[in-house]
């Protein structure tokens, strides 16, 4: 309705077939479940976005809400043999709110942020669905140099804080996967007007790790180097 304000919304029906992994397993951590039937869902969502620009400052904020009702939902549970088995339940519901922010001070400093609250439940029991954290949030400030020379188009660096709230590994909500906060840092350089890029990042800087759905530790600190090349036709 206004240059700085926009609304969006949607309603959809879904029909989702079981995956091959869910149906036939992998002979190690996932048990075969050949009797699974497809999910049927109804989803609604909506959001409002505000944008602004004033001198050296710019940014936008989006607030959205969503809800999905799923009949014959495919849910997993952990077995006594530390394996995962998928099964249909009568119905499940996902609903939540997401807030996304982005702000910039000139083109040199940028801040990204996102907070999502999700309530994912088995409607028959009211329990939280396994592997679904209620809260997920991150904030990532970045710094960019802009063009330095004919060769160097940009040098950037970032720092990220990611929070993943507690979740459960079982349908009865007895096995807790504790919340964790992960840190990440990275740097990169864009060369020849972005046609060549070099970057390096470290994820889970503090080696928090956490656990997967079977109780095994996650990889922890990880190092990634990337070389990208783009050709403009």
């Amino acid at each position: 309705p206004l240059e700085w304000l926009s609304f969006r919304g949607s309603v959809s029906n879904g029909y989702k077939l079981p995956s091959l992994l869910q149906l036939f397993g992998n002979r190690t951590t996932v048990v075969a479940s050949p009797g699974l039937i497809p999910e049927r869902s109804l989803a609604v969502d909506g959001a409002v976005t505000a944008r602004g620009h004033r001198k050296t400052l710019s940014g936008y904020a989006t607030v959205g809400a969503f809800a999905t009702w799923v009949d014959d939902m495919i849910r997993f549970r952990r077995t006594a043999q530390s394996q995962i088995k998928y099964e249909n339940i009568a119905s499940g519901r996902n609903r939540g709110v997401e807030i996304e922010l982005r702000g910039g001070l000139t083109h040199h400093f940028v801040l990204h942020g996102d907070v999502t609250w999700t309530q994912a439940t088995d409607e028959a029991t009211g329990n939280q669905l396994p592997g679904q954290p209620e809260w997920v949030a991150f904030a990532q400030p970045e710094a960019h140099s802009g063009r330095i020379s004919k060769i160097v188009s940009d040098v950037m660096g970032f720092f990220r804080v990611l929070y993943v709230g507690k979740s459960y590994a079982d349908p009865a909500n007895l096995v807790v996967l504790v919340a964790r906060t992960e840190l990440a840092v990275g740097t990169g350089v864009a060369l020849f007007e972005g046609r060549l890029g070099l970057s390096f990042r470290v994820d889970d800087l503090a080696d928090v790790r956490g656990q997967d759905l079977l109780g095994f530790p996650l990889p922890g600190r990880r190092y990634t180097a990337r070389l990208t090349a783009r050709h403009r036709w």
Side-chain angles (χ1 to χ4, degrees), residues 116-153:
T116 303
W117 171 76
T118 305
Q119 185 183 66
T121 57
D122 179 340
E123 291 199 299
T125 64
N127 290 339
Q128 191 169 325
L129 293 172
Q132 297 285 340
E134 191 172 7
W135 290 97
V136 177
F138 85 90
Q140 179 174 309
E142 298 179 5
H144 294 261
S145 68
R147 178 178 293 278
I148 296 177
S149 67
K150 292 182 179 180
I151 296 176
V152 180
S153 304

PDB file of all heavy atoms in Angstrom, residues 116-153:
ATOM      1  N   THR A 116      13.075 -16.966  15.297  1.00  0.00           N
ATOM      2  CA  THR A 116      11.904 -17.776  14.939  1.00  0.00           C
ATOM      3  C   THR A 116      11.433 -18.563  16.155  1.00  0.00           C
ATOM      4  O   THR A 116      12.223 -19.258  16.800  1.00  0.00           O
ATOM      5  CB  THR A 116      12.230 -18.767  13.809  1.00  0.00           C
ATOM      6  OG1 THR A 116      12.724 -18.052  12.676  1.00  0.00           O
ATOM      7  CG2 THR A 116      10.986 -19.544  13.395  1.00  0.00           C
ATOM      8  N   TRP A 117      10.161 -18.417  16.458  1.00  0.00           N
ATOM      9  CA  TRP A 117       9.510 -19.240  17.487  1.00  0.00           C
ATOM     10  C   TRP A 117       8.571 -20.214  16.790  1.00  0.00           C
ATOM     11  O   TRP A 117       7.739 -19.813  15.978  1.00  0.00           O
ATOM     12  CB  TRP A 117       8.708 -18.374  18.455  1.00  0.00           C
ATOM     13  CG  TRP A 117       7.850 -19.190  19.381  1.00  0.00           C
ATOM     14  CD1 TRP A 117       8.258 -19.900  20.473  1.00  0.00           C
ATOM     15  CD2 TRP A 117       6.432 -19.407  19.269  1.00  0.00           C
ATOM     16  NE1 TRP A 117       7.187 -20.543  21.056  1.00  0.00           N
ATOM     17  CE2 TRP A 117       6.052 -20.253  20.340  1.00  0.00           C
ATOM     18  CE3 TRP A 117       5.449 -18.961  18.375  1.00  0.00           C
ATOM     19  CZ2 TRP A 117       4.736 -20.656  20.536  1.00  0.00           C
ATOM     20  CZ3 TRP A 117       4.136 -19.376  18.559  1.00  0.00           C
ATOM     21  CH2 TRP A 117       3.787 -20.211  19.639  1.00  0.00           C
ATOM     22  N   THR A 118       8.713 -21.496  17.103  1.00  0.00           N
ATOM     23  CA  THR A 118       7.897 -22.523  16.467  1.00  0.00           C
ATOM     24  C   THR A 118       7.330 -23.456  17.528  1.00  0.00           C
ATOM     25  O   THR A 118       8.065 -23.950  18.392  1.00  0.00           O
ATOM     26  CB  THR A 118       8.717 -23.366  15.469  1.00  0.00           C
ATOM     27  OG1 THR A 118       9.346 -22.513  14.521  1.00  0.00           O
ATOM     28  CG2 THR A 118       7.824 -24.358  14.738  1.00  0.00           C
ATOM     29  N   GLN A 119       6.052 -23.703  17.437  1.00  0.00           N
ATOM     30  CA  GLN A 119       5.417 -24.712  18.279  1.00  0.00           C
ATOM     31  C   GLN A 119       4.965 -25.843  17.360  1.00  0.00           C
ATOM     32  O   GLN A 119       4.021 -25.695  16.584  1.00  0.00           O
ATOM     33  CB  GLN A 119       4.218 -24.129  19.035  1.00  0.00           C
ATOM     34  CG  GLN A 119       3.599 -25.097  20.018  1.00  0.00           C
ATOM     35  CD  GLN A 119       2.382 -24.521  20.691  1.00  0.00           C
ATOM     36  OE1 GLN A 119       1.350 -24.272  20.040  1.00  0.00           O
ATOM     37  NE2 GLN A 119       2.453 -24.287  21.986  1.00  0.00           N
ATOM     38  N   ALA A 120       5.674 -26.959  17.423  1.00  0.00           N
ATOM     39  CA  ALA A 120       5.382 -28.122  16.578  1.00  0.00           C
ATOM     40  C   ALA A 120       4.919 -29.251  17.480  1.00  0.00           C
ATOM     41  O   ALA A 120       5.709 -29.766  18.288  1.00  0.00           O
ATOM     42  CB  ALA A 120       6.625 -28.529  15.798  1.00  0.00           C
ATOM     43  N   THR A 121       3.658 -29.637  17.373  1.00  0.00           N
ATOM     44  CA  THR A 121       3.095 -30.577  18.338  1.00  0.00           C
ATOM     45  C   THR A 121       2.332 -31.716  17.669  1.00  0.00           C
ATOM     46  O   THR A 121       1.828 -31.591  16.549  1.00  0.00           O
ATOM     47  CB  THR A 121       2.117 -29.851  19.295  1.00  0.00           C
ATOM     48  OG1 THR A 121       1.089 -29.200  18.524  1.00  0.00           O
ATOM     49  CG2 THR A 121       2.840 -28.808  20.124  1.00  0.00           C
ATOM     50  N   ASP A 122       2.272 -32.824  18.381  1.00  0.00           N
ATOM     51  CA  ASP A 122       1.394 -33.936  18.051  1.00  0.00           C
ATOM     52  C   ASP A 122       0.040 -33.584  18.651  1.00  0.00           C
ATOM     53  O   ASP A 122      -0.098 -33.462  19.876  1.00  0.00           O
ATOM     54  CB  ASP A 122       1.957 -35.220  18.668  1.00  0.00           C
ATOM     55  CG  ASP A 122       1.099 -36.447  18.397  1.00  0.00           C
ATOM     56  OD1 ASP A 122      -0.096 -36.302  18.066  1.00  0.00           O
ATOM     57  OD2 ASP A 122       1.617 -37.574  18.544  1.00  0.00           O
ATOM     58  N   GLU A 123      -0.979 -33.410  17.809  1.00  0.00           N
ATOM     59  CA  GLU A 123      -2.259 -32.924  18.312  1.00  0.00           C
ATOM     60  C   GLU A 123      -2.957 -33.928  19.223  1.00  0.00           C
ATOM     61  O   GLU A 123      -3.790 -33.548  20.040  1.00  0.00           O
ATOM     62  CB  GLU A 123      -3.169 -32.549  17.146  1.00  0.00           C
ATOM     63  CG  GLU A 123      -2.688 -31.318  16.386  1.00  0.00           C
ATOM     64  CD  GLU A 123      -3.784 -30.678  15.566  1.00  0.00           C
ATOM     65  OE1 GLU A 123      -4.313 -31.346  14.665  1.00  0.00           O
ATOM     66  OE2 GLU A 123      -4.110 -29.507  15.843  1.00  0.00           O
ATOM     67  N   ALA A 124      -2.607 -35.199  19.133  1.00  0.00           N
ATOM     68  CA  ALA A 124      -3.238 -36.203  19.991  1.00  0.00           C
ATOM     69  C   ALA A 124      -2.729 -36.131  21.423  1.00  0.00           C
ATOM     70  O   ALA A 124      -3.484 -36.347  22.374  1.00  0.00           O
ATOM     71  CB  ALA A 124      -3.007 -37.604  19.427  1.00  0.00           C
ATOM     72  N   THR A 125      -1.450 -35.820  21.607  1.00  0.00           N
ATOM     73  CA  THR A 125      -0.850 -35.817  22.940  1.00  0.00           C
ATOM     74  C   THR A 125      -0.503 -34.417  23.442  1.00  0.00           C
ATOM     75  O   THR A 125      -0.328 -34.215  24.643  1.00  0.00           O
ATOM     76  CB  THR A 125       0.436 -36.656  22.949  1.00  0.00           C
ATOM     77  OG1 THR A 125       1.406 -36.053  22.072  1.00  0.00           O
ATOM     78  CG2 THR A 125       0.149 -38.078  22.471  1.00  0.00           C
ATOM     79  N   GLY A 126      -0.348 -33.468  22.519  1.00  0.00           N
ATOM     80  CA  GLY A 126       0.101 -32.135  22.896  1.00  0.00           C
ATOM     81  C   GLY A 126       1.589 -32.026  23.096  1.00  0.00           C
ATOM     82  O   GLY A 126       2.099 -30.946  23.424  1.00  0.00           O
ATOM     83  N   ASN A 127       2.338 -33.111  22.891  1.00  0.00           N
ATOM     84  CA  ASN A 127       3.787 -33.093  23.069  1.00  0.00           C
ATOM     85  C   ASN A 127       4.474 -32.439  21.878  1.00  0.00           C
ATOM     86  O   ASN A 127       3.973 -32.470  20.746  1.00  0.00           O
ATOM     87  CB  ASN A 127       4.330 -34.511  23.242  1.00  0.00           C
ATOM     88  CG  ASN A 127       3.926 -35.130  24.564  1.00  0.00           C
ATOM     89  OD1 ASN A 127       3.588 -34.414  25.515  1.00  0.00           O
ATOM     90  ND2 ASN A 127       3.933 -36.450  24.636  1.00  0.00           N
ATOM     91  N   GLN A 128       5.652 -31.881  22.139  1.00  0.00           N
ATOM     92  CA  GLN A 128       6.453 -31.286  21.076  1.00  0.00           C
ATOM     93  C   GLN A 128       7.007 -32.378  20.170  1.00  0.00           C
ATOM     94  O   GLN A 128       7.424 -33.444  20.643  1.00  0.00           O
ATOM     95  CB  GLN A 128       7.612 -30.487  21.695  1.00  0.00           C
ATOM     96  CG  GLN A 128       8.370 -29.612  20.720  1.00  0.00           C
ATOM     97  CD  GLN A 128       9.315 -28.666  21.461  1.00  0.00           C
ATOM     98  OE1 GLN A 128       8.997 -28.195  22.553  1.00  0.00           O
ATOM     99  NE2 GLN A 128      10.467 -28.412  20.873  1.00  0.00           N
ATOM    100  N   LEU A 129       6.997 -32.140  18.875  1.00  0.00           N
ATOM    101  CA  LEU A 129       7.507 -33.128  17.936  1.00  0.00           C
ATOM    102  C   LEU A 129       9.014 -33.287  18.099  1.00  0.00           C
ATOM    103  O   LEU A 129       9.726 -32.304  18.334  1.00  0.00           O
ATOM    104  CB  LEU A 129       7.181 -32.721  16.506  1.00  0.00           C
ATOM    105  CG  LEU A 129       5.692 -32.743  16.130  1.00  0.00           C
ATOM    106  CD1 LEU A 129       5.491 -32.124  14.759  1.00  0.00           C
ATOM    107  CD2 LEU A 129       5.147 -34.159  16.161  1.00  0.00           C
ATOM    108  N   PRO A 130       9.537 -34.495  17.975  1.00  0.00           N
ATOM    109  CA  PRO A 130      10.983 -34.713  18.129  1.00  0.00           C
ATOM    110  C   PRO A 130      11.791 -33.899  17.122  1.00  0.00           C
ATOM    111  O   PRO A 130      11.399 -33.739  15.960  1.00  0.00           O
ATOM    112  CB  PRO A 130      11.137 -36.216  17.870  1.00  0.00           C
ATOM    113  CG  PRO A 130       9.798 -36.809  18.136  1.00  0.00           C
ATOM    114  CD  PRO A 130       8.821 -35.761  17.731  1.00  0.00           C
ATOM    115  N   GLY A 131      12.933 -33.394  17.598  1.00  0.00           N
ATOM    116  CA  GLY A 131      13.862 -32.696  16.712  1.00  0.00           C
ATOM    117  C   GLY A 131      13.429 -31.311  16.300  1.00  0.00           C
ATOM    118  O   GLY A 131      14.022 -30.730  15.389  1.00  0.00           O
ATOM    119  N   GLN A 132      12.413 -30.745  16.954  1.00  0.00           N
ATOM    120  CA  GLN A 132      11.897 -29.422  16.590  1.00  0.00           C
ATOM    121  C   GLN A 132      12.143 -28.435  17.726  1.00  0.00           C
ATOM    122  O   GLN A 132      11.361 -28.369  18.677  1.00  0.00           O
ATOM    123  CB  GLN A 132      10.394 -29.506  16.291  1.00  0.00           C
ATOM    124  CG  GLN A 132      10.039 -30.374  15.108  1.00  0.00           C
ATOM    125  CD  GLN A 132      10.369 -29.690  13.797  1.00  0.00           C
ATOM    126  OE1 GLN A 132      10.505 -28.482  13.738  1.00  0.00           O
ATOM    127  NE2 GLN A 132      10.499 -30.449  12.742  1.00  0.00           N
ATOM    128  N   PRO A 133      13.229 -27.640  17.671  1.00  0.00           N
ATOM    129  CA  PRO A 133      13.451 -26.643  18.720  1.00  0.00           C
ATOM    130  C   PRO A 133      12.397 -25.549  18.683  1.00  0.00           C
ATOM    131  O   PRO A 133      11.928 -25.160  17.614  1.00  0.00           O
ATOM    132  CB  PRO A 133      14.842 -26.090  18.390  1.00  0.00           C
ATOM    133  CG  PRO A 133      15.020 -26.339  16.931  1.00  0.00           C
ATOM    134  CD  PRO A 133      14.287 -27.620  16.651  1.00  0.00           C
ATOM    135  N   GLU A 134      12.053 -25.049  19.863  1.00  0.00           N
ATOM    136  CA  GLU A 134      11.033 -23.999  19.932  1.00  0.00           C
ATOM    137  C   GLU A 134      11.598 -22.647  19.501  1.00  0.00           C
ATOM    138  O   GLU A 134      10.887 -21.845  18.903  1.00  0.00           O
ATOM    139  CB  GLU A 134      10.483 -23.909  21.358  1.00  0.00           C
ATOM    140  CG  GLU A 134       9.255 -23.039  21.480  1.00  0.00           C
ATOM    141  CD  GLU A 134       8.615 -23.117  22.850  1.00  0.00           C
ATOM    142  OE1 GLU A 134       9.208 -23.743  23.754  1.00  0.00           O
ATOM    143  OE2 GLU A 134       7.521 -22.547  23.028  1.00  0.00           O
ATOM    144  N   TRP A 135      12.872 -22.408  19.793  1.00  0.00           N
ATOM    145  CA  TRP A 135      13.503 -21.128  19.464  1.00  0.00           C
ATOM    146  C   TRP A 135      14.748 -21.323  18.630  1.00  0.00           C
ATOM    147  O   TRP A 135      15.571 -22.194  18.933  1.00  0.00           O
ATOM    148  CB  TRP A 135      13.897 -20.369  20.744  1.00  0.00           C
ATOM    149  CG  TRP A 135      12.743 -19.846  21.524  1.00  0.00           C
ATOM    150  CD1 TRP A 135      12.147 -20.436  22.606  1.00  0.00           C
ATOM    151  CD2 TRP A 135      12.025 -18.631  21.290  1.00  0.00           C
ATOM    152  NE1 TRP A 135      11.111 -19.674  23.060  1.00  0.00           N
ATOM    153  CE2 TRP A 135      11.015 -18.555  22.274  1.00  0.00           C
ATOM    154  CE3 TRP A 135      12.142 -17.613  20.353  1.00  0.00           C
ATOM    155  CZ2 TRP A 135      10.123 -17.490  22.347  1.00  0.00           C
ATOM    156  CZ3 TRP A 135      11.258 -16.545  20.423  1.00  0.00           C
ATOM    157  CH2 TRP A 135      10.262 -16.486  21.404  1.00  0.00           C
ATOM    158  N   VAL A 136      14.885 -20.544  17.577  1.00  0.00           N
ATOM    159  CA  VAL A 136      16.116 -20.470  16.781  1.00  0.00           C
ATOM    160  C   VAL A 136      16.350 -18.993  16.470  1.00  0.00           C
ATOM    161  O   VAL A 136      15.423 -18.298  16.037  1.00  0.00           O
ATOM    162  CB  VAL A 136      16.023 -21.278  15.475  1.00  0.00           C
ATOM    163  CG1 VAL A 136      17.293 -21.105  14.652  1.00  0.00           C
ATOM    164  CG2 VAL A 136      15.792 -22.752  15.765  1.00  0.00           C
ATOM    165  N   ALA A 137      17.569 -18.522  16.708  1.00  0.00           N
ATOM    166  CA  ALA A 137      17.857 -17.107  16.463  1.00  0.00           C
ATOM    167  C   ALA A 137      19.309 -16.951  16.044  1.00  0.00           C
ATOM    168  O   ALA A 137      20.172 -17.741  16.437  1.00  0.00           O
ATOM    169  CB  ALA A 137      17.580 -16.274  17.713  1.00  0.00           C
ATOM    170  N   PHE A 138      19.571 -15.939  15.232  1.00  0.00           N
ATOM    171  CA  PHE A 138      20.956 -15.632  14.890  1.00  0.00           C
ATOM    172  C   PHE A 138      21.108 -14.136  14.642  1.00  0.00           C
ATOM    173  O   PHE A 138      20.157 -13.426  14.296  1.00  0.00           O
ATOM    174  CB  PHE A 138      21.433 -16.437  13.672  1.00  0.00           C
ATOM    175  CG  PHE A 138      21.097 -15.830  12.335  1.00  0.00           C
ATOM    176  CD1 PHE A 138      21.970 -14.954  11.707  1.00  0.00           C
ATOM    177  CD2 PHE A 138      19.905 -16.132  11.705  1.00  0.00           C
ATOM    178  CE1 PHE A 138      21.652 -14.390  10.475  1.00  0.00           C
ATOM    179  CE2 PHE A 138      19.577 -15.577  10.477  1.00  0.00           C
ATOM    180  CZ  PHE A 138      20.466 -14.694   9.860  1.00  0.00           C
ATOM    181  N   ALA A 139      22.345 -13.663  14.843  1.00  0.00           N
ATOM    182  CA  ALA A 139      22.704 -12.288  14.521  1.00  0.00           C
ATOM    183  C   ALA A 139      24.072 -12.320  13.852  1.00  0.00           C
ATOM    184  O   ALA A 139      24.966 -13.052  14.292  1.00  0.00           O
ATOM    185  CB  ALA A 139      22.757 -11.423  15.779  1.00  0.00           C
ATOM    186  N   GLN A 140      24.228 -11.567  12.771  1.00  0.00           N
ATOM    187  CA  GLN A 140      25.475 -11.588  12.010  1.00  0.00           C
ATOM    188  C   GLN A 140      25.845 -10.184  11.546  1.00  0.00           C
ATOM    189  O   GLN A 140      25.294  -9.686  10.567  1.00  0.00           O
ATOM    190  CB  GLN A 140      25.354 -12.530  10.806  1.00  0.00           C
ATOM    191  CG  GLN A 140      26.608 -12.587   9.955  1.00  0.00           C
ATOM    192  CD  GLN A 140      26.528 -13.629   8.868  1.00  0.00           C
ATOM    193  OE1 GLN A 140      26.205 -14.794   9.131  1.00  0.00           O
ATOM    194  NE2 GLN A 140      26.803 -13.246   7.637  1.00  0.00           N
ATOM    195  N   PRO A 141      26.784  -9.516  12.224  1.00  0.00           N
ATOM    196  CA  PRO A 141      27.319  -8.257  11.707  1.00  0.00           C
ATOM    197  C   PRO A 141      28.411  -8.521  10.673  1.00  0.00           C
ATOM    198  O   PRO A 141      29.190  -9.468  10.805  1.00  0.00           O
ATOM    199  CB  PRO A 141      27.896  -7.584  12.957  1.00  0.00           C
ATOM    200  CG  PRO A 141      28.209  -8.702  13.888  1.00  0.00           C
ATOM    201  CD  PRO A 141      27.249  -9.812  13.582  1.00  0.00           C
ATOM    202  N   GLU A 142      28.444  -7.691   9.639  1.00  0.00           N
ATOM    203  CA  GLU A 142      29.445  -7.813   8.575  1.00  0.00           C
ATOM    204  C   GLU A 142      30.096  -6.462   8.327  1.00  0.00           C
ATOM    205  O   GLU A 142      29.468  -5.418   8.516  1.00  0.00           O
ATOM    206  CB  GLU A 142      28.805  -8.281   7.255  1.00  0.00           C
ATOM    207  CG  GLU A 142      28.169  -9.625   7.290  1.00  0.00           C
ATOM    208  CD  GLU A 142      27.552  -9.979   5.939  1.00  0.00           C
ATOM    209  OE1 GLU A 142      27.725  -9.184   4.979  1.00  0.00           O
ATOM    210  OE2 GLU A 142      26.885 -11.016   5.845  1.00  0.00           O
ATOM    211  N   ALA A 143      31.338  -6.507   7.875  1.00  0.00           N
ATOM    212  CA  ALA A 143      32.047  -5.292   7.470  1.00  0.00           C
ATOM    213  C   ALA A 143      32.585  -5.508   6.064  1.00  0.00           C
ATOM    214  O   ALA A 143      33.147  -6.571   5.762  1.00  0.00           O
ATOM    215  CB  ALA A 143      33.192  -4.986   8.430  1.00  0.00           C
ATOM    216  N   HIS A 144      32.404  -4.517   5.187  1.00  0.00           N
ATOM    217  CA  HIS A 144      32.852  -4.586   3.800  1.00  0.00           C
ATOM    218  C   HIS A 144      33.743  -3.381   3.490  1.00  0.00           C
ATOM    219  O   HIS A 144      33.434  -2.251   3.889  1.00  0.00           O
ATOM    220  CB  HIS A 144      31.661  -4.586   2.844  1.00  0.00           C
ATOM    221  CG  HIS A 144      30.796  -5.797   2.946  1.00  0.00           C
ATOM    222  ND1 HIS A 144      30.897  -6.855   2.070  1.00  0.00           N
ATOM    223  CD2 HIS A 144      29.820  -6.121   3.835  1.00  0.00           C
ATOM    224  CE1 HIS A 144      30.011  -7.780   2.411  1.00  0.00           C
ATOM    225  NE2 HIS A 144      29.341  -7.355   3.472  1.00  0.00           N
ATOM    226  N   SER A 145      34.805  -3.630   2.762  1.00  0.00           N
ATOM    227  CA  SER A 145      35.715  -2.540   2.403  1.00  0.00           C
ATOM    228  C   SER A 145      35.227  -1.755   1.196  1.00  0.00           C
ATOM    229  O   SER A 145      35.531  -0.577   1.047  1.00  0.00           O
ATOM    230  CB  SER A 145      37.108  -3.106   2.095  1.00  0.00           C
ATOM    231  OG  SER A 145      37.089  -3.873   0.897  1.00  0.00           O
ATOM    232  N   GLY A 146      34.470  -2.414   0.311  1.00  0.00           N
ATOM    233  CA  GLY A 146      34.163  -1.802  -0.968  1.00  0.00           C
ATOM    234  C   GLY A 146      35.372  -1.906  -1.893  1.00  0.00           C
ATOM    235  O   GLY A 146      36.381  -2.536  -1.565  1.00  0.00           O
ATOM    236  N   ARG A 147      35.250  -1.293  -3.058  1.00  0.00           N
ATOM    237  CA  ARG A 147      36.332  -1.381  -4.044  1.00  0.00           C
ATOM    238  C   ARG A 147      37.615  -0.746  -3.509  1.00  0.00           C
ATOM    239  O   ARG A 147      37.629   0.381  -3.028  1.00  0.00           O
ATOM    240  CB  ARG A 147      35.925  -0.713  -5.348  1.00  0.00           C
ATOM    241  CG  ARG A 147      37.020  -0.716  -6.419  1.00  0.00           C
ATOM    242  CD  ARG A 147      36.528  -0.080  -7.691  1.00  0.00           C
ATOM    243  NE  ARG A 147      35.501  -0.899  -8.302  1.00  0.00           N
ATOM    244  CZ  ARG A 147      35.755  -1.966  -9.073  1.00  0.00           C
ATOM    245  NH1 ARG A 147      37.014  -2.321  -9.302  1.00  0.00           N
ATOM    246  NH2 ARG A 147      34.773  -2.643  -9.601  1.00  0.00           N
ATOM    247  N   ILE A 148      38.719  -1.507  -3.609  1.00  0.00           N
ATOM    248  CA  ILE A 148      40.035  -1.022  -3.184  1.00  0.00           C
ATOM    249  C   ILE A 148      40.912  -0.681  -4.383  1.00  0.00           C
ATOM    250  O   ILE A 148      41.654   0.290  -4.371  1.00  0.00           O
ATOM    251  CB  ILE A 148      40.728  -2.067  -2.290  1.00  0.00           C
ATOM    252  CG1 ILE A 148      39.925  -2.271  -0.999  1.00  0.00           C
ATOM    253  CG2 ILE A 148      42.154  -1.649  -1.972  1.00  0.00           C
ATOM    254  CD1 ILE A 148      40.485  -3.327  -0.096  1.00  0.00           C
ATOM    255  N   SER A 149      40.813  -1.514  -5.435  1.00  0.00           N
ATOM    256  CA  SER A 149      41.618  -1.291  -6.636  1.00  0.00           C
ATOM    257  C   SER A 149      40.892  -1.902  -7.822  1.00  0.00           C
ATOM    258  O   SER A 149      39.781  -2.432  -7.682  1.00  0.00           O
ATOM    259  CB  SER A 149      42.999  -1.928  -6.474  1.00  0.00           C
ATOM    260  OG  SER A 149      42.899  -3.338  -6.421  1.00  0.00           O
ATOM    261  N   LYS A 150      41.501  -1.871  -8.980  1.00  0.00           N
ATOM    262  CA  LYS A 150      40.900  -2.488 -10.158  1.00  0.00           C
ATOM    263  C   LYS A 150      40.761  -3.998  -9.994  1.00  0.00           C
ATOM    264  O   LYS A 150      39.913  -4.622 -10.631  1.00  0.00           O
ATOM    265  CB  LYS A 150      41.740  -2.175 -11.393  1.00  0.00           C
ATOM    266  CG  LYS A 150      41.725  -0.704 -11.802  1.00  0.00           C
ATOM    267  CD  LYS A 150      42.531  -0.492 -13.066  1.00  0.00           C
ATOM    268  CE  LYS A 150      42.498   0.968 -13.507  1.00  0.00           C
ATOM    269  NZ  LYS A 150      43.286   1.190 -14.746  1.00  0.00           N
ATOM    270  N   ILE A 151      41.597  -4.580  -9.166  1.00  0.00           N
ATOM    271  CA  ILE A 151      41.568  -6.026  -8.964  1.00  0.00           C
ATOM    272  C   ILE A 151      40.661  -6.408  -7.800  1.00  0.00           C
ATOM    273  O   ILE A 151      39.832  -7.298  -7.904  1.00  0.00           O
ATOM    274  CB  ILE A 151      42.998  -6.565  -8.731  1.00  0.00           C
ATOM    275  CG1 ILE A 151      43.851  -6.342  -9.980  1.00  0.00           C
ATOM    276  CG2 ILE A 151      42.958  -8.049  -8.372  1.00  0.00           C
ATOM    277  CD1 ILE A 151      45.298  -6.760  -9.811  1.00  0.00           C
ATOM    278  N   VAL A 152      40.812  -5.708  -6.668  1.00  0.00           N
ATOM    279  CA  VAL A 152      40.086  -6.068  -5.453  1.00  0.00           C
ATOM    280  C   VAL A 152      38.767  -5.287  -5.397  1.00  0.00           C
ATOM    281  O   VAL A 152      38.761  -4.067  -5.230  1.00  0.00           O
ATOM    282  CB  VAL A 152      40.928  -5.779  -4.204  1.00  0.00           C
ATOM    283  CG1 VAL A 152      40.144  -6.173  -2.946  1.00  0.00           C
ATOM    284  CG2 VAL A 152      42.255  -6.534  -4.276  1.00  0.00           C
ATOM    285  N   SER A 153      37.668  -6.016  -5.554  1.00  0.00           N
ATOM    286  CA  SER A 153      36.354  -5.377  -5.535  1.00  0.00           C
ATOM    287  C   SER A 153      35.809  -5.218  -4.122  1.00  0.00           C
ATOM    288  O   SER A 153      35.078  -4.270  -3.833  1.00  0.00           O
ATOM    289  CB  SER A 153      35.357  -6.204  -6.362  1.00  0.00           C
ATOM    290  OG  SER A 153      35.823  -6.398  -7.682  1.00  0.00           O
TER     291      SER A 153
END
